[in-house]
Amino acid sequence: MISIQNVRKIFPFKEGQLTAVDDVNLEIKDGEIFGVIGYSGAGKSTLIRMLNGLELPTEGTITVAGRDISKIRGSELRKARQEISMIFQHFNLLWSRTVSENIAFPLEIAGIKGPERKKRVAELIRLVDLEGRENAYPSQLSGGQKQRVGIARALANNPKVLLCDEATSALDPETTDSILDLLVDINKRLGLTIVLITHEMHVIQKICHRVAVMEKGKIVEIGSVLDVFKNPQQPITKRFVQQVSEPEETKEIAEHLLKCYDSGQIIQLTFIGDSAEQPLIANLIRRFHVNVNILQGKISQTQKGSYGTLFVHIDGNEQEVNKAVDFIRSQQVGVEVVSNG
Amino acid sequence: MAKYFPNVDWQIMWEATNQTLFMTGISVLVTFVLGIILGMLLFLTGKDNMWENKLINTVIGAIVNIFRSIPFIILIVLLIPFTVFLLGTMIGETAALPALIVGAAPFYARMVEIGLREIDKGVIEAAKSMGASTWTIIWKVLLPESLPALVSGITVTAIALVGYTAMAGAIGAGGLGNLAYNYGYQRNQNDVTVVATIIILLIVFVIQFIGDTITAKIDKR
């Protein structure tokens, strides 16, 4: 559906230049929810804006839905953009138009008239759950409702691709979740390909199938969300994974416990999918002469299955503890020794 | 009435009021259209915009600045040959129109440009991302989204134009300014000046009221 080949984007300045996107290659499949995560300035925003021609690549080719976006201009580009919709962090609704009129705008651009347009607007309002707010102006809506209008507007012309530019970054956590649920629902119901950029790992975890991590214009890591969570390679990816898997106080707890226990090991276990269902701790205690103290645990749901993290303190004589750790390693469970007691 | 305003000929006063209203009305209408076109061009040819063009932008900007800076009373005199060429005369209320428009349109064009610049860039970008052409963006985004600024701008300009008509009156364009000058000043009939002033104030208040009402009604932000 989307193919990005050797794409580079350089912004010239008075003195020198800035390489925002540096030799990026990416294939995004039909019907996929693909996430790009990175800190601000990583180039992810420039990357997504090149997918609908709001920015043009300095080098390389971008093909979306069979069209070479980086080459086409004028009316051909405008036609292509009707199939590649976008939603925005700050919603970008027309304040001078009501909810219905905002949703009708892309239909006006596409030349759809009268009753047909009215019918389509009504459908879209139902789809995004905004019945009763048709005649409200954006200033009368909450952030979540505004983004729903944004989504309805983006879906009006039955696009093949939906680009989400930090679409939930201006929303509170609860509203974020409801918008993400809506996006998943749309993806399933309409088979739409969704590309989103974000700096929140929570968003990636909750709805993406695959994720690319961007740093300094380059994609440093890419893979299925579950794999990336299970086995993050790059330091930056590890930091993003920690955002959701490891609550902030864990480190403090570990330090505190290290002071309390002068022996044993504190270990982080990562469970993926089926392995999460084995009674690992029970086996551990039965087989080895160790004490296991559970410090903290969490299970998170992704689109392709669940994964969990567990922090435990294993205590006993050194040999037994080492044997226990080896046993865990043999159980398809990720093990990371946080610290030795 | 006759007691307080012995020198006022109400028939003449009424005619002068009509002349002032005529000059103001026509010049406001033309200024509105011309100012929007000029302001839109200034905006669109500006940096990072759809028709970015430094040359055109600089030229229009220079013309606007020059005509905005010339004091109106001097502008009328400067434009006498132009007015005569255009209308064959420079006496009467119609003859005042070229100067009024040339004086007010650049002033209003700047206000239009400022109003357009205040539109959220993201909204324009959203329209582009939907596949809107530049014309669609002008008609369906730029003009509606800046309308409150356009209306409050033309209100201010219209009030300035009422003042300009009075100045134009001083050199033979007719209207309330002419009346106040000829009778009030030349013949020392102060009551005529007072009545003309009251009528001008009323016209200004009405314009301001209409402008404020429309702005409040269309502004949904």
Side-chain angles (χ1 to χ4, degrees):
Chain A
M1 179 54 72
I2 299 173
S3 168
I4 301 171
Q5 284 164 345
N6 309 316
V7 164
R8 201 179 295 252
K9 174 71 185 183
I10 298 168
F11 290 108
F13 281 107
K14 271 196 181 124
E15 285 158 31
Q17 55 189 36
L18 174 83
T19 309
V21 174
D22 197 0
D23 198 24
V24 165
N25 286 283
L26 207 57
E27 297 288 329
I28 297 169
K29 286 173 243 148
D30 201 356
E32 190 172 31
I33 305 185
F34 190 92
V36 178
I37 190 164
Y39 292 111
S40 51
K44 55 190 193 306
S45 196
T46 310
L47 182 69
I48 202 169
R49 288 159 56 84
M50 285 194 284
L51 297 182
N52 62 357
L54 285 177
E55 258 357 305
L56 292 174
T58 316
E59 280 172 40
T61 327
I62 292 170
T63 318
V64 182
R67 281 198 177 88
D68 188 346
I69 297 298
S70 42
K71 298 283 181 303
I72 57 175
R73 298 281 187 283
S75 66
E76 212 185 328
L77 177 60
R78 291 200 292 275
K79 201 91 203 147
R81 280 173 174 168
Q82 291 178 16
E83 297 190 339
I84 315 166
S85 287
M86 197 170 201
I87 57 173
F88 303 87
Q89 179 175 3
H90 298 295
F91 326 120
N92 296 350
L93 304 178
L94 294 154
W95 63 255
S96 57
R97 288 177 171 232
T98 62
V99 167
S100 289
E101 289 164 351
N102 263 292
I103 298 172
F105 187 34
L107 298 167
E108 291 168 22
I109 293 170
I112 292 159
K113 297 200 169 61
E116 201 186 332
R117 185 160 80 203
K118 238 177 157 176
K119 195 174 139 245
R120 182 74 184 131
V121 169
E123 269 171 34
L124 289 158
I125 283 182
R126 237 174 298 128
L127 179 72
V128 298
D129 226 1
L130 278 176
E131 286 116 321
R133 304 297 280 153
E134 292 89 343
N135 298 318
Y137 284 90
S139 60
Q140 300 164 316
L141 301 178
S142 69
Q145 288 172 325
K146 283 182 197 165
Q147 197 57 291
R148 281 170 190 274
V149 178
I151 291 171
R153 186 175 71 170
L155 295 176
N157 287 322
N158 296 308
K160 296 193 170 109
V161 178
L162 178 65
L163 307 174
C164 310
D165 186 355
E166 298 272 10
T168 58
S169 299
L171 303 174
D172 62 66
E174 205 169 309
T175 315
T176 294
D177 281 353
S178 80
I179 294 293
L180 293 178
D181 288 339
L182 177 62
L183 289 176
V184 172
D185 182 49
I186 287 162
N187 167 260
K188 283 190 181 140
R189 259 206 271 180
L190 310 174
L192 193 72
T193 308
I194 298 180
V195 182
L196 62 88
I197 65 167
T198 183
H199 59 267
E200 295 168 310
M201 203 58 181
H202 168 75
V203 172
I204 302 280
Q205 174 220 309
K206 196 159 187 310
I207 73 166
C208 291
H209 302 137
R210 284 201 302 149
V211 60
V213 183
M214 269 190 100
E215 191 177 26
K216 291 181 189 143
K218 288 182 194 291
I219 290 182
V220 293
E221 191 161 348
I222 182 168
S224 85
V225 170
L226 217 46
D227 286 343
V228 169
F229 270 91
K230 183 166 75 177
N231 201 4
Q233 301 295 316
Q234 301 294 328
I236 182 176
T237 316
K238 286 182 185 158
R239 281 211 299 279
F240 277 124
V241 170
Q242 276 171 11
Q243 265 185 20
V244 283
S245 68
E246 195 178 304
E248 278 166 25
E249 66 269 30
T250 304
K251 226 175 220 152
E252 286 156 35
I253 294 170
E255 275 168 21
H256 173 71
L257 283 161
L258 281 174
K259 275 182 210 150
C260 300
Y261 305 105
D262 47 7
S263 62
Q265 293 186 343
I266 293 178
I267 291 169
Q268 179 186 0
L269 307 173
T270 313
F271 303 86
I272 306 289
D274 294 343
S275 69
E277 286 152 31
Q278 292 168 24
L280 179 85
I281 302 297
N283 287 342
L284 210 59
I285 301 168
R286 266 190 219 129
R287 290 197 190 190
F288 306 97
H289 194 70
V290 290
N291 288 322
V292 178
N293 186 12
I294 297 176
L295 307 179
Q296 185 167 59
K298 190 182 179 188
I299 290 184
S300 306
Q301 209 65 38
T302 77
Q303 286 298 306
K304 292 277 172 74
S306 56
Y307 83 97
T309 49
L310 188 63
F311 287 84
V312 293
H313 175 243
I314 302 179
D315 203 2
N317 80 50
E318 209 179 316
Q319 219 178 352
E320 279 294 299
V321 170
N322 286 339
K323 267 201 246 169
V325 173
D326 287 341
F327 169 75
I328 304 169
R329 282 190 213 278
S330 70
Q331 297 293 307
Q332 292 176 317
V333 173
V335 180
E336 197 184 328
V337 177
V338 179
S339 52
N340 289 308
Chain B
M1 281 298 224
K3 193 176 142 202
Y4 293 109
F5 305 113
N7 301 309
V8 174
D9 180 331
W10 295 100
Q11 182 64 35
I12 293 173
M13 191 61 81
W14 176 242
E15 270 169 31
T17 306
N18 274 334
Q19 286 166 347
T20 292
L21 287 174
F22 169 81
M23 285 189 283
T24 310
I26 302 288
S27 60
V28 165
L29 274 178
V30 180
T31 298
F32 186 64
V33 175
L34 213 61
I36 286 178
I37 293 172
L38 277 175
M40 186 66 80
L41 277 172
L42 271 174
F43 174 75
L44 288 172
T45 58
K47 201 169 151 26
D48 293 328
N49 232 307
M50 282 164 270
W51 292 345
E52 182 171 348
N53 187 317
K54 203 160 182 203
L55 181 74
I56 295 179
N57 190 262
T58 312
V59 170
I60 299 177
I63 294 172
V64 163
N65 279 345
I66 290 167
F67 282 101
R68 213 163 50 117
S69 310
I70 302 171
F72 185 69
I73 194 81
I74 298 173
L75 187 71
I76 306 172
V77 179
L78 274 176
L79 285 179
I80 287 175
F82 176 69
T83 307
V84 172
F85 167 77
L86 214 62
L87 302 166
T89 176
M90 71 137 311
I91 305 296
E93 57 268 31
T94 311
L97 291 176
L100 289 171
I101 292 159
V102 171
F107 177 71
Y108 183 51
R110 277 291 177 210
M111 288 201 257
V112 171
E113 191 204 1
I114 292 167
L116 290 170
R117 275 208 211 139
E118 273 168 13
I119 298 173
D120 184 357
K121 286 262 178 296
V123 175
I124 300 170
E125 191 150 83
K128 279 189 199 166
S129 82
M130 286 180 244
S133 64
T134 303
W135 279 112
T136 308
I137 292 176
I138 290 172
W139 284 108
K140 301 206 165 188
V141 180
L142 298 181
L143 291 177
E145 294 282 298
S146 65
L147 202 55
L150 300 187
V151 172
S152 57
I154 200 66
T155 308
V156 173
T157 311
I159 288 166
L161 273 167
V162 174
Y164 288 180
T165 63
M167 276 190 250
I171 62 153
L176 290 165
N178 186 39
L179 197 70
Y181 182 75
N182 284 347
Y183 293 80
Y185 178 68
Q186 305 277 27
R187 300 187 195 167
N188 211 9
Q189 297 173 348
N190 283 329
D191 54 337
V192 177
T193 311
V194 169
V195 173
T197 308
I198 291 170
I199 296 174
I200 285 176
L201 283 176
L202 278 175
I203 293 172
V204 169
F205 288 155
V206 169
I207 291 173
Q208 188 68 55
F209 177 76
I210 293 171
D212 289 349
T213 311
I214 296 176
T215 308
K217 200 170 164 54
I218 57 177
D219 198 343
K220 308 287 186 188
R221 277 174 288 195

